[in-house]
Amino acid sequence: MSTNNSIQPVSPASELLSNTTCQLEEDLSISFSIIFMTVGILSNSLAIAILMKAYQRFRQKYKSSFLLLASALVITDFFGHLINGTIAVFVYASDKDWIYFDKSNILCSIFGICMVFSGLCPLFLGSLMAIERCIGVTKPIFHSTKITTKHVKMMLSGVCFFAVFVALLPILGHRDYKIQASRTWCFYKTDQIKDWEDRFYLLLFAFLGLLALGVSFVCNAITGISLLKVKFRSQQHRQGRSHHFEMVIQLLGIMCVSCICWSPFLVTMASIGMNIQDFKDSCERTLFTLRMATWNQILDPWVYILLRKAVLRNLYVCTRRCCGVHVISLHVWELSSIKNSLKVAAISDLPVTEKVTQQTST
């Protein structure tokens, strides 16, 4: 931080600087931050292209709702990574001299709002996707008749507005986001907390994040158990159920990535809010958990890129060939999800005797 011996008016940014300093063994360079941001933007762009293309092709309601929510999640990750990454690179390039380039604290407020929104909104969307799939599998008639694309868009808008409201709470309460000890990011006040309102913001953020992860876990568990029960009870229309299994595998991937990346940071914020641990003693650990959380925005899109049926089919074939096992009946794997759906629709329109003949021939 640059210093000046001359007497100058105290800027708002100087009052928001943390009184503690976070001594890091290895500081991130600007080049690493740029590479980190570029990888995240490219990954999310690829996932957005894949999801939007799939959303335009699929006309099944149960699939389009999931793809709509998944596209919204990846788009949120994209803009969160773009905005937060750009500000972080600018801070590093400016030698973290907040008093010089952010005298009015506008940039820090924008940074803090984006940090909270880009953290909570993907977690909310992940839980909403899990709820939507749980209803689609356990209550298919209710899902097909009551949950329309319009309803999904309304729920999507509600989740986004709620995340924005939580991010704006400090501003509405005439509180400012605070520059953290590492001078590289802005968030709620985390050191020398003496006001109940500052603790409330931290505890609210941690509670909502952990609640979203908990809802996702419960709904995905119910969905997985229901699909396994149906699989063991009957083997009819296994092609139609493969769509559900594909979506559930992707949901499990999202949930695992979110839990691994976000749980340490959420628990740390809850511990600071409840005064279980002092921020001065956990500054480096907090910064490490924050970097883990930012990896969620890079790993989320790869869940959709890698855990698609076509990719899993190719991995299955390659694995069997590498193990020296002869691949049998490759025609069982459909060429695409669209052909798969068309086949199920065609079988459902045939008489019962012809259905049996079709299924035994495959």
Side-chain angles (χ1 to χ4, degrees):
M1 183 72 65
S2 62
T3 59
N4 194 337
N5 294 327
S6 61
I7 300 176
Q8 294 180 349
V10 178
S11 65
S14 63
E15 298 177 355
L16 297 171
L17 288 173
S18 176
N19 294 327
T20 60
T21 57
C22 192
Q23 301 295 333
L24 301 177
E25 295 180 0
E26 294 183 3
D27 205 2
L28 288 178
S29 62
I30 299 177
S31 58
F32 181 83
S33 300
I34 294 175
I35 294 174
F36 188 80
M37 182 180 67
T38 303
V39 172
I41 292 175
L42 293 177
S43 300
N44 283 281
S45 300
L46 179 59
I48 290 172
I50 293 174
L51 287 170
M52 295 303 293
K53 186 177 180 180
Y55 180 73
Q56 294 296 328
R57 288 184 176 182
F58 277 93
R59 297 303 178 188
Q60 295 92 343
K61 189 186 302 181
Y62 68 89
K63 184 74 173 179
S64 62
S65 299
F66 177 85
L67 291 174
L68 178 62
L69 294 173
S71 301
L73 189 150
V74 176
I75 291 173
T76 303
D77 283 339
F78 173 82
F79 283 105
H81 205 80
L82 177 63
I83 297 173
N84 294 333
T86 302
I87 297 176
V89 171
F90 174 77
V91 171
Y92 275 107
S94 302
D95 198 23
K96 298 181 282 187
D97 193 351
W98 288 89
I99 298 178
Y100 174 74
F101 62 77
D102 192 28
K103 295 180 180 180
S104 59
N105 193 47
I106 296 177
L107 184 62
C108 184
S109 298
I110 295 175
F111 200 0
I113 292 171
C114 291
M115 288 288 293
V116 174
F117 175 80
S118 61
L120 289 180
C121 192
L123 295 178
F124 291 163
L125 290 175
S127 62
L128 184 60
M129 291 166 60
I131 294 173
E132 188 270 339
R133 273 301 84 214
C134 183
I135 297 175
V137 172
T138 59
K139 304 291 183 181
I141 298 178
F142 174 82
H143 182 272
S144 60
T145 57
K146 301 297 182 180
I147 300 181
T148 62
T149 303
K150 181 180 179 180
H151 294 149
V152 174
K153 291 180 180 179
M154 291 175 60
M155 290 186 290
L156 178 60
S157 300
V159 165
C160 293
F161 279 121
F162 181 68
V164 171
F165 173 74
V166 174
L168 291 176
L169 271 180
I171 307 299
L172 298 176
H174 302 286
R175 297 295 178 99
D176 294 310
Y177 281 95
K178 189 175 180 64
I179 302 168
Q180 301 302 305
S182 63
R183 306 292 199 271
T184 57
W185 60 298
C186 294
F187 202 65
Y188 302 127
K189 186 176 182 179
T190 53
D191 66 315
Q192 299 181 354
I193 301 177
K194 298 180 181 179
D195 196 332
W196 67 269
E197 192 172 349
D198 293 326
R199 298 187 185 278
F200 171 76
Y201 294 142
L202 288 172
L203 293 176
L204 178 65
F205 179 84
F207 171 76
L208 292 176
L210 293 173
L211 178 63
L213 292 176
V215 171
S216 299
F217 178 81
V218 173
C219 292
N220 287 331
I222 295 174
T223 304
I225 293 173
S226 300
L227 286 175
L228 290 176
K229 286 182 179 180
V230 174
K231 180 179 177 61
F232 289 128
R233 284 178 184 176
S234 174
Q235 293 298 322
Q236 293 181 356
H237 302 303
R238 62 184 181 274
Q239 293 89 354
R241 288 201 312 272
S242 65
H243 290 302
H244 291 296
F245 278 109
E246 180 185 17
M247 289 183 283
V248 170
I249 289 174
Q250 291 177 343
L251 280 176
L252 291 176
I254 296 170
M255 184 185 67
C256 292
V257 169
S258 299
C259 288
I260 294 173
C261 294
W262 273 105
S263 293
F265 183 75
L266 294 172
V267 172
T268 301
M269 293 297 103
S271 301
I272 295 174
M274 292 185 294
N275 203 22
I276 296 177
Q277 67 181 30
D278 191 358
F279 181 78
K280 295 180 180 179
D281 301 330
S282 60
C283 178
E284 296 182 13
R285 180 171 55 186
T286 301
L287 192 58
F288 175 75
T289 57
L290 173 66
R291 290 169 181 169
M292 286 185 60
T294 57
W295 271 100
N296 181 77
Q297 297 173 335
I298 294 179
L299 297 177
D300 263 351
W302 287 103
V303 172
Y304 305 104
I305 295 173
L306 297 179
L307 297 184
R308 291 180 297 144
K309 187 177 179 182
V311 177
L312 294 176
R313 181 183 66 244
N314 292 332
L315 291 176
Y316 170 80
V317 174
C318 292
T319 302
R320 295 197 62 171
R321 288 178 177 175
C322 292
C323 295
V325 180
H326 181 65
V327 181
I328 304 174
S329 301
L330 288 180
H331 64 277
V332 174
W333 294 88
E334 303 296 332
L335 295 178
S336 65
S337 298
I338 301 174
K339 289 184 178 181
N340 200 2
S341 301
L342 293 174
K343 184 175 180 179
V344 174
I347 293 177
S348 61
D349 294 334
L350 294 175
V352 177
T353 56
E354 294 186 20
K355 288 183 182 179
V356 175
T357 306
Q358 286 277 2
Q359 292 175 1
T360 53
S361 64
T362 56

